[in-house]
Amino acid sequence: MKRKEVRSLFYSFPMGAWFTVFFVVPLLIIASYSFMKKGLYGGVVFERSFYAYVQLWSADYGILFFRTLWISVLVTFLCIVIALPAGYAIARSKHQLFFLFLIVIPFWTNSLIRINAWIAILGNQGFLNSLFKRLHLITHSLPLLYSRTSVILVLLYMSLPYAIFPIFSAIDKFDFSLLEAARDLGAGKTQSIMVILLPNIRAGIITAIIFTFIPVFGSYTVPLLVGGKGSYMLGNLIVDQVTKIRNWPLASAFSVLITAFSTMCVIWMMYISIKQEKKQKRKG
Amino acid sequence: MESINYREEKKHPAAVHGKYRSASNSPYRKLTGWFKKKKKGTEASRHARRAYKNLPQVSFSMTVLVLTLIFLFLPLIVITVFSFNSGKALVWNSFSLEWYYKLFFHSERLWHSFINSLIVAFVSAFIAVVMGTFAALGVQWYRFRGRAYIQTVSLLPMVLPEVVIGMSMLIFFSALNIPLGFFTIISAHITFCLPFVFLLVLARLEEFDFSIIEASRDLGATEGQTLFKVILPAIFPAILSGFLMAVTLSLEDFVITFFVSGPGTTTLPLYVFSMVRYGISPVINALSFVMILGTMFIAFMLRNLLKGIAASS
C-alpha cells in the first residue's frame, strides 16, 4: 500500500506541483497584496493596510460594479433563453455532431477576429450603415458601435456557445420516455417541458449560467473594443489598475472579490451535480 | 418461379460478401459516419428518442437553433466576403485577392508573431499533455493524499476570469523578478491548457477496461511496459485531442498573454489586437478567413469528441 502511494505521487505530483506554483501561489500573492499599501511607483509597500478594501466602497466603483453586474445578468439571461430551445433542438436532432461542429467553429475562432468582424458590421463606415445608405434608408450613419447595446450584443455572441454546450449535454442525457409519459398522461407540450424537462436538466442550466456569467463578469476585450464610456466594466478597471494606474492593492482586492465569487459558484455547481447524481442513483 | 429464386439467391451472397456490405466500409457511410453518434441508453429511451427525432423538424426549437446559427455565422460570413473585396470600404466593389497577397507576401511582422504563437502553442501543449496525462492516470487509478486538492485546483483555472489569472501571474512573476518573455508566456499557457487536457484524458480513462491492464501484468509485463505498450496506445486518441485542444486554446488566448508577454515576444493574438485597436487594414479580413479555415480544420479533426467537449466545458 505504501509503495502504491509513492508511485501515485510520481504520476500526479508534477501537475499538482505545477498548479500550486503557477496558480495557487499567484492567487495567494494577490490576496496578500490586497492587504498592503500601494507603492509610490507601482508595486506594493509591505505594510498592512485595509485601504484597498475601503476604496472598493466608493460611489464610482459601486456604479461600475452594478453596471458590470447588470450587463452580466442580462447577457446570461438572454443566453439561457436562447440556449434552451437551441440545445433542445440539437439534442433531438439526427445530426447532433454536425450542429455541434457548426457551433464550435465560431466558438474556437480567435475572439479578436470575431470582435473585429462585429466592428466591421456595426461601425460608422461598417457593413450595416453602408447597406442602409445604399438602400436610402438613412443619410447619416447610425451610431451602432461604442454603446452599451453593442457591448451586450457582442458579449451575447461570445458567450452563447458556453451556454448551449452544457444545456445540450444535459438534454442529451435526459430520458425522453419521461416526456412521452407526461404527454400520454395528458400534460400539454409546454406543461410537460416546464414540469418534467426543466427540473431534470437543472445541473446543466446551472453550469451554463456559471460558464456564461463568470467570463462576462470579467470580460475585458469586448467592452474595450466595442464599448464606449458608458460600458467600462470591472475587467477594464482591473487591467487599467495593474498596467496604467499601477494601484496593485486595489486591483488585487477586486480580483480577490471575483475569485471568491467564482469559487463559490464552482462549489455550488459541484454540490448540485452531486445531489442530482445521488437522486438518479436512488431512482435507478 | 425458379428463375426468380435463382436470381435472388445469386444476388444475396454478392450483397453479403460485396465490397461495401460492412456498414463502416462504404464511402457513403464514411461520409455520414463523420457526424454520427453511438447509440446509448435503454431500449425504451432509445425508442422515445427516435420517436422524438422523427417529429417534423420545423418546430419552435429548430427555428431558434437556425436563427442562432445565422447569428453566430453572420460576422464570419461578412468578414469572409469583404476579404475578397477590392478597396478598403465595406461596400462591395469588385473581386480581388489583393488583401491575401498583402497577407502572404507583405506582412513579415504578422508572420513573425505567428511563428512565436506556434512555438508557444506547441511547447506548452506538449508539456501540458505530458503532465495532464500522467496526472489523470494517477488520479484515476490510485487513491492518495492530495487527490481531492488536485481535482479541485484543476477545475478552477477553467472558471476564473482570464483577467484574474493573467493579473495574478503578472504579479507573481514580477514579485520573483522573472523577466517577461517566452518562459512566462509558456508557463501561463501550460496553466490554462492543463485542466482541459487533464479532463479529456480522465474522461477516456473512465471508460477504459481495467482488465486489459491486469492481463498485461499477468502476462509478465512490468508497470513501465504496461504503461507504454498498453495504456498509452489505448488512450492515444484522447491524448492527441487534448494536444489539439491545448494548441487551439493557446493560439486563441489574448488576455492572459497580454499580461505576461514582454517586449519582443508578440504572439499572433497580440498582433491582431494592435491591428484591431489602431487602425483597421483589410489584411485582417484575409487573415480572419485563413484562421476560420484553420479552426474548421481543427474542429473537424476533433469532431468525434465534440460531445465530450460540450459536456466538459
Side-chain angles (χ1 to χ4, degrees):
Chain A
M1 199 60 213
K2 187 113 192 177
R3 230 179 112 218
K4 252 193 171 169
E5 180 144 330
V6 170
R7 206 181 286 148
S8 68
L9 276 180
F10 156 75
Y11 281 122
S12 298
F13 181 76
M15 192 179 88
W18 184 275
F19 276 133
T20 309
V21 173
F22 288 100
F23 184 69
V24 178
V25 170
L27 286 180
L28 292 177
I29 289 178
I30 59 167
S32 64
Y33 272 23
S34 71
F35 291 106
M36 285 177 193
K37 267 187 186 159
K38 172 181 177 295
L40 202 52
Y41 304 104
V44 289
V45 178
F46 290 93
E47 242 176 83
R48 196 179 340 140
S49 147
F50 296 99
Y51 186 61
Y53 286 95
V54 175
Q55 268 183 305
L56 282 187
W57 293 100
S58 76
D60 284 350
Y61 296 140
I63 292 171
L64 188 81
F65 178 81
F66 282 109
R67 179 195 296 149
T68 310
L69 191 68
W70 160 240
I71 292 177
S72 317
V73 169
L74 183 66
V75 170
T76 309
F77 174 75
L78 291 173
C79 272
I80 301 298
V81 167
I82 298 172
L84 275 172
Y88 178 80
I90 300 175
R92 249 190 51 186
S93 158
K94 286 176 202 162
H95 312 285
Q96 284 186 344
L97 283 184
F98 178 65
F99 282 122
L100 289 180
F101 176 72
L102 285 184
I103 287 174
V104 116
I105 290 168
F107 186 42
W108 282 353
T109 301
N110 190 297
S111 61
L112 293 162
I113 294 285
R114 284 179 285 161
I115 294 174
N116 176 61
W118 276 108
I119 295 175
I121 289 177
L122 300 174
N124 279 344
Q125 261 84 50
F127 171 68
L128 275 184
N129 273 320
S130 310
L131 187 73
F132 289 158
K133 276 182 194 163
R134 272 269 167 102
L135 298 171
H136 299 288
L137 292 173
I138 51 166
T139 48
H140 298 286
S141 292
L142 298 172
L144 299 170
L145 203 59
Y146 308 121
S147 63
R148 200 177 294 181
T149 323
S150 61
V151 170
I152 290 171
L153 180 78
V154 178
L155 281 174
L156 176 68
Y157 180 83
M158 296 299 210
S159 35
L160 255 178
Y162 281 114
I164 293 178
F165 281 146
I167 287 182
F168 155 74
S169 37
I171 298 181
D172 190 46
K173 282 178 205 132
F174 174 72
D175 184 357
F176 275 95
S177 54
L178 290 177
L179 218 51
E180 229 173 38
R183 296 297 296 278
D184 284 349
L185 293 171
K189 202 175 174 185
T190 329
Q191 198 187 2
S192 61
I193 284 176
M194 295 302 265
V195 180
I196 306 294
L197 182 67
L198 287 188
N200 270 294
I201 58 164
R202 210 174 66 205
I205 296 176
I206 288 168
T207 313
I209 291 176
I210 289 170
F211 274 89
T212 321
F213 184 83
I214 295 178
V216 174
F217 197 71
S219 62
Y220 164 66
T221 39
V222 174
L224 179 75
L225 293 172
V226 303
K229 275 194 179 133
S231 41
Y232 193 73
M233 286 169 69
L234 215 53
N236 305 68
L237 178 88
I238 292 179
V239 174
D240 286 348
Q241 290 292 345
V242 174
T243 58
K244 286 186 194 150
I245 304 161
R246 299 187 71 82
N247 187 347
W248 285 9
L250 183 63
S252 302
F254 273 114
S255 297
V256 167
L257 216 66
I258 294 181
T259 308
F261 182 72
S262 308
T263 313
M264 259 155 41
C265 286
V266 172
I267 291 169
W268 184 43
M269 185 171 80
M270 285 167 112
Y271 170 75
I272 294 280
S273 69
I274 287 168
K275 215 169 88 177
Q276 185 151 357
E277 258 170 38
K278 269 186 192 159
K279 206 172 146 192
Q280 272 164 1
K281 259 184 201 161
R282 223 181 300 142
K283 268 185 196 163
Chain B
M1 200 61 195
E2 252 188 343
S3 67
I4 293 169
N5 233 339
Y6 172 69
R7 220 179 284 151
E8 267 184 8
E9 258 181 31
K10 202 163 177 180
K11 196 180 161 198
H12 204 70
V16 171
H17 301 293
K19 197 176 164 196
Y20 297 133
R21 186 68 185 97
S22 108
S24 59
N25 247 355
S26 92
Y28 169 73
R29 268 311 182 77
K30 265 191 184 157
L31 261 175
T32 54
W34 279 336
F35 292 110
K36 276 265 161 67
K37 56 173 201 85
K38 282 179 204 150
K39 279 177 184 162
K40 259 196 224 153
T42 63
E43 197 173 348
S45 70
R46 261 207 317 274
H47 279 291
R49 194 190 299 267
R50 198 174 310 140
Y52 265 80
K53 277 178 185 164
N54 288 341
L55 288 176
Q57 290 287 299
V58 186
S59 58
F60 168 71
S61 58
M62 205 55 188
T63 318
V64 174
L65 177 63
V66 170
L67 290 178
T68 307
L69 286 173
I70 292 172
F71 175 59
L72 288 176
F73 274 87
L74 175 78
L76 306 186
I77 291 167
V78 167
I79 212 84
T80 304
V81 168
F82 283 106
S83 72
F84 292 105
N85 190 16
S86 66
K88 289 198 171 188
L90 286 160
V91 182
W92 185 254
N93 200 359
S94 65
F95 180 85
S96 110
L97 290 175
E98 60 176 310
W99 305 118
Y100 287 91
Y101 180 76
K102 275 209 171 142
L103 172 68
F104 286 112
F105 299 105
H106 292 284
S107 311
E108 290 80 15
R109 281 182 55 216
L110 189 151
W111 290 105
H112 188 71
S113 67
F114 180 60
I115 289 168
N116 282 346
S117 267
L118 281 185
I119 295 171
V120 169
F122 279 90
V123 172
S124 48
F126 180 76
I127 299 174
V129 158
V130 172
M131 279 199 290
T133 305
F134 277 97
L137 287 170
V139 165
Q140 180 67 18
W141 287 333
Y142 296 103
R143 298 285 172 273
F144 54 93
R145 229 174 291 145
R147 189 167 170 269
Y149 167 78
I150 283 182
Q151 279 175 312
T152 318
V153 122
S154 63
L155 205 66
L156 263 177
M158 290 171 73
V159 188
L160 272 191
E162 290 178 311
V163 170
V164 175
I165 297 178
M167 175 216 161
S168 66
M169 290 200 99
L170 170 68
I171 287 180
F172 169 71
F173 290 132
S174 69
L176 293 180
N177 279 322
I178 298 174
L180 299 177
F182 270 115
F183 173 76
T184 53
I185 297 180
I186 288 174
S187 42
H189 282 221
I190 293 171
T191 309
F192 70 75
C193 289
L194 248 180
F196 291 92
V197 177
F198 174 69
L199 285 181
L200 274 175
V201 177
L202 200 62
R204 177 72 188 85
L205 284 175
E206 263 163 21
E207 46 191 59
F208 192 86
D209 190 357
F210 204 84
S211 58
I212 297 173
I213 297 157
E214 276 168 0
S216 109
R217 297 304 297 273
D218 283 350
L219 292 170
T222 63
E223 176 151 354
Q225 280 174 325
T226 311
L227 179 66
F228 286 103
K229 298 217 163 137
V230 179
I231 303 169
L232 289 184
I235 60 169
F236 188 71
I239 296 175
L240 186 68
S241 27
F243 182 79
L244 281 177
M245 182 95 190
V247 168
T248 316
L249 286 171
S250 166
L251 285 176
E252 216 272 339
D253 178 73
F254 165 70
V255 176
I256 296 173
T257 320
F258 172 72
F259 276 104
V260 296
S261 72
T265 46
T266 306
T267 62
L268 187 63
L270 291 178
Y271 188 80
V272 173
F273 177 75
S274 66
M275 275 174 105
V276 177
R277 186 91 208 263
Y278 310 105
I280 294 172
S281 152
V283 171
I284 197 177
N285 300 351
L287 176 70
S288 303
F289 185 51
V290 173
M291 289 177 82
I292 292 166
L293 286 183
T295 313
M296 285 174 83
F297 175 71
I298 292 182
F300 187 75
M301 299 287 286
L302 294 178
R303 64 191 176 274
N304 289 324
L305 279 149
L306 287 178
K307 263 178 107 167
I309 291 165
S312 69
S313 73

